[in-house]
Amino acid sequence: MILFCEECGRKSLVEQSEQNVSDNGFVCHHCGFRTPAAAIAHMLKKNLVWTPNPLIFKMTGGDKTVVQHIVFQELNDAPIQIESLVIDSLQYDLQTRAVDAQTIAVELLPLGNRIRQHGAYKGEAIHCRNLLSDFSCVVKVEFNRDVPCLSGMPEKVDLGVIPSNGYYHNQLLIENSGNDTLSVQVRTEPMDFSIAARFVLEGSLALRLAPKERKMISYFLWPVADISEDWDFVQRIYVKTNEPGKQGNREVVIHGKIVV
């Protein structure tokens, strides 16, 4: 919720629960003054309602954007202009936009390869305030995605400029975000063989990941020192799991510029 400091008058985004604030007050992010609970009681009055409350997304696939709307209503018919902000921990899951002065569209974003995304969530999610009064609140959201268990593999890795007289070493993160053991096979595309460099995946290419387990897959690139011209390097890596369908499969493209 957004509250105003009694000492300096500046606003602070407060992530405590409303009950905690009403019992203990809050500490200003700017001047450090603790505004007592009695001084902000009027800010916590329920003079605005919204529907639905909470906002619930039904089970949805992780590959598309799903949109729902929150509608606010001022109980005493005063004018409203709603501003919204998704809490930090859900920045990769949700985004909001104003439809009109009292309506907010909430988008549940598709799953990418970001570790910080959530398969499921239930709790406070969106800070809202009325720009035309001192009212603020936190809207609760619930969602549950039908998510693939394999996560952490990027679609593209840009190595940038690679000197021909050196070598490159890095790692790919792979994670089982599901609740069952995951079998994973990793292989390179042989048609991407390059005469300008040698590419090697280190370790076993057949993995078993326990639930919530992470592993790092190391790879090495050795450019050929005596190449006569710059070379665009591309290597595809395929990752396949035992999940039903194709939802757990990945293709990672590693590319860079080998320079003389």
Side-chain angles (χ1 to χ4, degrees), residues 224-239:
V224 176
D226 58 355
I227 61 174
S228 59
E229 61 183 21
D230 295 347
W231 194 279
D232 290 323
F233 174 83
V234 177
Q235 177 65 61
R236 284 169 291 173
I237 298 174
Y238 299 113
V239 183

Side-chain angles (χ1 to χ4, degrees), residues 90-104:
L90 295 176
Q91 290 290 333
Y92 295 108
D93 295 292
L94 301 171
Q95 67 181 22
T96 62
R97 54 183 171 84
V99 176
D100 53 41
Q102 64 186 52
T103 308
I104 296 172

Side-chain angles (χ1 to χ4, degrees), residues 9 21 28 58 73 78 102 107 112 116 149 170 177 195 231 234 242 248:
V21 173
C28 178
K58 295 180 180 180
Q73 181 180 3
Q102 64 186 52
E107 298 180 352
R116 290 184 62 190
C149 294
N170 211 326
S177 57
I195 63 173
W231 194 279
V234 177
N242 61 341

Side-chain angles (χ1 to χ4, degrees), residues 31 35 41 47 54 56 89 94 105 108 110 118 154 214 216:
C31 70
T35 297
N47 58 348
I56 301 175
S89 62
L94 301 171
L108 178 61
H118 296 75
R214 294 183 180 185
M216 304 301 295

Side-chain angles (χ1 to χ4, degrees), residues 9-154:
R10 301 173 72 179
K11 64 181 179 181
S12 290
L13 183 59
V14 179
E15 296 194 359
Q16 301 166 237
S17 69
E18 184 173 310
Q19 185 62 51
N20 189 300
V21 173
S22 64
D23 291 342
N24 305 302
F26 75 99
V27 176
C28 178
H29 295 172
H30 306 285
C31 70
F33 178 78
R34 177 177 288 279
T35 297
I40 56 173
H42 67 287
M43 301 184 196
L44 303 175
K45 291 180 180 178
K46 295 291 186 181
N47 58 348
L48 202 66
V49 295
W50 59 94
T51 54
N53 186 10
L55 178 64
I56 301 175
F57 291 88
K58 295 180 180 180
M59 175 70 77
T60 177
D63 59 349
K64 60 183 179 180
T65 298
V66 182
V67 182
Q68 291 202 50
H69 294 85
I70 306 173
V71 180
F72 288 82
Q73 181 180 3
E74 177 71 53
L75 296 179
N76 58 10
D77 294 326
I80 61 175
Q81 180 71 51
I82 299 299
E83 177 185 70
S84 61
L85 179 66
V86 178
I87 66 174
D88 289 344
S89 62
L90 295 176
Q91 290 290 333
Y92 295 108
D93 295 292
L94 301 171
Q95 67 181 22
T96 62
R97 54 183 171 84
V99 176
D100 53 41
Q102 64 186 52
T103 308
I104 296 172
V106 182
E107 298 180 352
L108 178 61
L109 302 175
L111 279 172
N113 295 311
R114 302 184 180 94
I115 295 296
R116 290 184 62 190
Q117 284 189 292
H118 296 75
Y121 181 84
K122 180 178 180 179
E124 296 183 343
I126 304 169
H127 293 283
C128 297
R129 63 183 291 254
N130 183 8
L131 296 176
L132 304 180
S133 74
D134 57 7
F135 177 84
S136 65
C137 66
V138 181
V139 176
K140 294 182 178 180
V141 169
E142 298 178 20
F143 63 80
N144 191 3
R145 294 183 175 110
D146 181 16
V147 300
C149 294
L150 182 68
S151 61
M153 301 291 287

Side-chain angles (χ1 to χ4, degrees), residues 182-230:
L182 192 65
S183 297
V184 182
Q185 293 182 336
V186 184
R187 68 175 180 88
T188 58
E189 170 54 71
M191 295 298 291
D192 290 338
F193 171 79
S194 171
I195 63 173
R198 181 185 177 206
F199 183 88
V200 175
L201 287 175
E202 183 183 51
S204 172
L205 302 185
L207 307 172
R208 286 182 66 80
L209 299 178
K212 315 308 179 186
E213 182 180 4
R214 294 183 180 185
K215 287 189 178 180
M216 304 301 295
I217 300 175
S218 294
Y219 60 89
F220 298 86
L221 176 64
W222 285 277
V224 176
D226 58 355
I227 61 174
S228 59
E229 61 183 21
D230 295 347

